[in-house]
Structure formats: C-alpha cells, structure tokens
Amino acid sequence: MKNRIETKRLILRLFTKEDINALFAIFSDKDVNTFLPMFPLRNIEEAKEYLRYIEEYAGYYYAICLKDDNIPIGCIHISEDDSHDLGYCIGKKFWYKGICTEACRAMVGMLRQAGIPYITATHDVNNPRSGNVMQAIGMTYRYSYEELWQPKNVLVTFRMYQLNFDGQQNRVYKKYWDKYPVHFVEEI
C-alpha cells in the first residue's frame, strides 16, 4: 500500500505527530462525531492517545488533506480484517464539497491495485449522505441490520454496502447478517 495518494484537490497521507492539533479539531467536534464509533475527544492528551491508536491500526489509516496546505481535514481508513471495512469522516467546514467521495475514489483505486477482493462499508440510516458517498464510488447496498453500538450504547440500524473487485459480483459479506438477529433487506 502507498503512504501517499494524490487526487485533483487532495493528499491522502499517514498522520504524523505534527497533526495532533488538526486531529483534535476533527475528532472533538460533536457534529462530526455523531456517527463515529467513539466519543468526541475532550483534550489534546486524548488526541495523542488516538494518534497512537491510528499508528497501530490494523489496516490503512490516512489523513485527508487539501493540497493547498497539507493539513488534515478528515480521515479515511480500510481495515485489514475480513470485512475490509471502509470508513471516513471530514471536518464540518468541508461537508457537502465532494471531498469524501474524492478521497474514497482514490482509496478504491489503490485497493483495486493491491489485490483486495472486496470492501464493505456501513452507515447509520440517519446518515444517508454517507450512503450517498458509498453509492457514488460504486458500492452496492446488500442488507441492513440492528446493532447495539458500543461504546455509545445506542441501538443503530446500519445499511451495509459492498464493492467486489474480483469479478464475483454475487458475493455478499454476511458476517453482520449472521451476527445480529435483526437483519433485513430494504428497498433503496
């Protein structure tokens, strides 16, 4: 995998210790954090802990930066487990500008070359814009499921999307379907 990816407007790169203030700004925002699987960061020390988590992440975790200044405005990551889960977030100031879609398309391009057979991604039904990003990069809705989401301890209905790279278009990642008893297919 690459340490740096460039698009027309963006640089996707590894986070560094110099990014701690930007990391805190992104992950301390309550609105940005609403649909993330963590609570907002409360101080720089928690940001430093989160940076350590990113450095040890079992997968690929990139800062999303504008080419103008190379300062992180969001993040994008893919897990190395069997879900190959794609996740992303962007600072509120940069919402509705197509940045997540542009970053995700770049990540998909890299993953295709890396030989990963497929990726998945999930979004809370209350966050349909995330689903729009998934659709824009070619992902297909497969099913929905309910999960008591931790550590926030809230019941969430997730929609699971998948993009197969290896030609097996009928393959469906079933782990969430099998794990959570409430699952169903919606008309999207």
Side-chain angles (χ1 to χ4, degrees):
M1 295 288 219
K2 299 176 180 178
N3 288 337
R4 180 183 176 100
I5 305 167
E6 291 193 28
T7 69
K8 182 178 179 182
R9 299 182 291 173
L10 307 174
I11 297 170
L12 308 182
R13 61 163 176 81
L14 302 177
F15 278 94
T16 69
K17 291 184 182 357
E18 290 75 33
D19 297 325
I20 202 69
N21 290 327
L23 188 74
F24 179 69
I26 296 163
F27 289 102
S28 64
D29 186 305
K30 284 187 330 188
D31 293 332
V32 171
N33 190 276
T34 300
F35 299 107
L36 297 180
M38 58 189 275
F39 291 106
L41 299 178
R42 295 174 293 192
N43 53 51
I44 290 293
E45 284 308 310
E46 286 188 355
K48 289 177 182 175
E49 284 178 37
Y50 195 67
L51 181 60
R52 282 191 288 281
Y53 165 78
I54 289 170
E55 291 171 342
E56 297 171 5
Y57 184 73
Y60 301 94
Y61 204 118
Y62 296 92
I64 299 173
C65 307
L66 295 176
K67 279 186 172 178
D68 298 345
D69 59 18
N70 198 24
I71 296 172
I73 60 169
C75 69
I76 186 166
H77 51 85
I78 188 86
S79 67
E80 272 191 332
D81 66 12
D82 65 341
S83 70
H84 306 292
D85 183 60
L86 173 68
Y88 43 84
C89 77
I90 197 84
K92 189 170 29 180
K93 177 179 169 184
F94 303 97
W95 289 359
Y96 315 117
K97 298 178 188 297
I99 291 172
C100 279
T101 300
E102 187 174 331
C104 286
R105 283 187 176 133
M107 183 72 96
V108 164
M110 180 186 67
L111 296 171
R112 282 184 193 275
Q113 293 175 356
I116 291 176
Y118 61 88
I119 59 172
T120 67
T122 60
H123 76 87
D124 184 319
V125 295
N126 295 313
N127 187 15
R129 288 191 163 275
S130 188
N132 293 345
V133 170
M134 294 170 196
Q135 291 171 13
I137 65 168
M139 298 187 85
T140 303
Y141 167 76
R142 301 299 184 157
Y143 58 84
S144 300
Y145 63 96
E146 288 183 0
E147 176 184 352
L148 186 60
W149 208 30
Q150 300 300 334
K152 292 183 177 178
N153 203 35
V154 294
L155 186 62
V156 175
T157 300
F158 286 105
R159 291 187 179 131
M160 200 284 288
Y161 283 74
Q162 186 167 334
L163 177 58
N164 296 329
F165 299 133
D166 61 1
Q168 295 185 37
Q169 297 311 317
N170 293 326
R171 179 199 304 113
V172 176
Y173 181 76
K174 301 287 278 187
K175 188 172 187 177
Y176 308 127
W177 180 276
D178 295 340
K179 183 176 181 177
Y180 299 104
V182 178
H183 51 255
F184 48 93
V185 176
E186 298 177 73
E187 287 290 324
I188 303 271

